[in-house]
Amino acid sequence: MSSHSKSLGEFDLIERFFKTGANSLRTTADSAIALGIGDDCALIRPPADEEIAITSDMLVEGRHFFAGADPELLGRKALAVNLSDLAAMGAKPLGFTLAIALPMVDKIWLEAFSKGLFAASYDYSCPLIGGDTTAGPLTISITAFGSSPTGKAIRRSGAKAGDDIWVSGTVGDARLALAALRHELNLPNADLQNIAHRMHQPTPRIELGIQLRGIASAALDVSDGLLGDLRHILKQSQVDAEIQLNQLPKSITLQKQGIGIQNQFAASGGDDYELCFTAPSTQREKIHTISKILNLPLTLIGKILPKKDVEVRIHLLDASGIELSNSEAAPFLNSFDHFAS
């Protein structure tokens, strides 16, 4: 980690909670990291004929996670949400940096946080290679690096009219867990336990992203709400979409709720970290094969349409195939706004 203008206490913090774990992983990671923690910069040696993918995410206490959140789960999630971005582009993780602001040096909190952070780091062979620490409101910022074969990264701009629209796993559980924790609805404790991991321990779909190279025409990860995030693909690709609302994949726990809550949470809940992707209909058999190989449901939820108006549009169809009016569709098209009150 950067060493200028540092106090001895900060050096000790880095050495005790971050450097040891980072170095232990580097002995098993591949040779993409030429130099890790200990210098002014880390050095990444790109694999031959591959491009580097870079992504950053920030988690702020009280905005992205509850005050007093379990630090071990928080450490794991902080890295997982960045790895999810790499997955969306079909990139293999190489390493990450961590910048963290701490209101105080709490050794118990740091031990738990670093445990969760390095658990995810080990699981996805993504070593910590640098970063920074400072005093301040609890804020966690991670930058992750990955690579994919040159020209094979899955972008948001490749969707074409006629393409299928798919989503991995199920959507809406993280929002349901949040609603229960906020006391917006009553959820039996057993049901909350069944879905809490979707909010606290998301699974980045790294292997899926890699398998989709050359198959998906566009992709992104679902972080702020499925349909709101899908709109990013539509804008980048300059196309419209048709979505069958009743086809959105939902867990058994979410299906216990009223149909209105089911559809709203699945469509716009956010924090799912599943992959939404488009692909030509000729790729359906390959996608079903990938689903079997990974033991991961991949659900066809709609199709890409030619863009008709100045603004891109998502046409939502009900179970009878009838398009919802603008007012009926509005609740399903919202997404999380990081600057909204």
Side-chain angles (χ1 to χ4, degrees), residues 159-167 215-218 230 233 241-243 276-285 287-288 299-305:
K160 301 289 191 298
D163 283 357
D164 293 330
I165 303 173
W166 300 78
V167 68
I215 294 176
S217 53
L230 173 62
I233 287 179
E242 178 181 276
I243 297 293
C276 175
F277 61 95
T278 64
S281 58
T282 55
Q283 300 288 357
R284 288 183 185 179
E285 185 175 346
I287 291 170
H288 288 309
T299 305
L300 178 60
I301 61 172
K303 63 182 178 181
I304 296 294
L305 303 176

Side-chain angles (χ1 to χ4, degrees), residues 205-220:
R205 303 301 186 184
I206 297 293
E207 288 302 318
L208 174 60
I210 291 172
Q211 292 282 342
L212 288 174
R213 293 173 184 166
I215 294 176
S217 53
L220 48 63

Side-chain angles (χ1 to χ4, degrees), residues 291-322:
S291 177
K292 292 178 182 178
I293 291 172
L294 299 181
N295 192 28
L296 174 66
L298 301 175
T299 305
L300 178 60
I301 61 172
K303 63 182 178 181
I304 296 294
L305 303 176
K307 182 170 174 286
K308 291 186 176 181
D309 299 319
V310 175
E311 296 293 328
V312 298
R313 184 176 178 187
I314 297 177
H315 303 266
L316 285 184
L317 307 184
D318 65 16
S320 300
I322 299 173

Side-chain angles (χ1 to χ4, degrees), residues 61-82:
E61 185 177 46
R63 186 62 180 167
H64 301 99
F65 58 92
F66 292 119
D70 184 317
E72 183 175 343
L73 296 179
L74 183 59
R76 187 175 185 91
K77 182 173 183 177
L79 180 54
V81 300
N82 281 270

Side-chain angles (χ1 to χ4, degrees), residues 18-247:
F18 299 111
K19 187 173 182 179
T20 301
N23 287 341
S24 64
L25 177 61
R26 287 192 62 216
T27 61
T28 59
D30 63 34
S31 60
I33 306 305
L35 181 65
I37 293 175
D39 234 293
D40 289 301
C41 296
L43 298 177
I44 296 177
R45 182 186 298 109
D49 300 320
E50 295 206 357
E51 297 173 317
I52 299 295
I54 305 170
T55 182
S56 293
D57 262 305
M58 184 182 297
L59 299 178
V60 179
E61 185 177 46
R63 186 62 180 167
H64 301 99
F65 58 92
F66 292 119
D70 184 317
E72 183 175 343
L73 296 179
L74 183 59
R76 187 175 185 91
K77 182 173 183 177
L79 180 54
V81 300
N82 281 270
L83 297 180
S84 183
D85 286 331
L86 295 182
M89 297 195 74
K92 176 184 177 181
L94 297 179
F96 73 99
T97 62
L98 167 69
I100 184 168
L102 299 165
M104 61 183 293
V105 177
D106 182 333
K107 294 180 181 179
I108 294 176
W109 189 95
L110 282 164
E111 285 175 354
F113 176 81
S114 60
K115 180 180 179 181
L117 181 75
F118 286 116
S121 176
Y122 298 149
D123 284 349
Y124 298 98
S125 298
C126 187
L128 176 64
I129 59 175
D132 197 15
T133 61
T134 189
L138 182 56
T139 305
I140 304 156
S141 181
I142 285 179
T143 298
F145 303 85
S147 69
S148 62
T150 300
K152 296 296 185 181
I154 309 170
R155 307 186 183 194
R156 296 179 177 181
S157 57
K160 301 289 191 298
D163 283 357
D164 293 330
I165 303 173
W166 300 78
V167 68
S168 65
T170 60
V171 286
D173 280 346
R175 179 64 181 90
L176 180 60
L178 179 63
L181 293 172
R182 285 178 170 174
H183 305 292
E184 295 172 1
L185 51 77
N186 293 319
L187 195 67
N189 187 61
D191 285 348
L192 179 57
Q193 294 303 313
N194 284 338
I195 61 170
H197 69 282
R198 296 301 308 276
M199 177 180 174
H200 299 304
Q201 301 181 74
T203 301
R205 303 301 186 184
I206 297 293
E207 288 302 318
L208 174 60
I210 291 172
Q211 292 282 342
L212 288 174
R213 293 173 184 166
I215 294 176
S217 53
L220 48 63
D221 75 323
V222 180
S223 55
D224 296 330
L226 173 58
L227 299 188
D229 283 339
L230 173 62
R231 192 179 294 275
H232 297 311
I233 287 179
L234 305 186
K235 288 181 178 179
Q236 291 292 320
S237 300
Q238 285 298 287
V239 290
D240 288 349
E242 178 181 276
I243 297 293
Q244 298 174 353
L245 199 55
N246 67 311
Q247 292 300 311

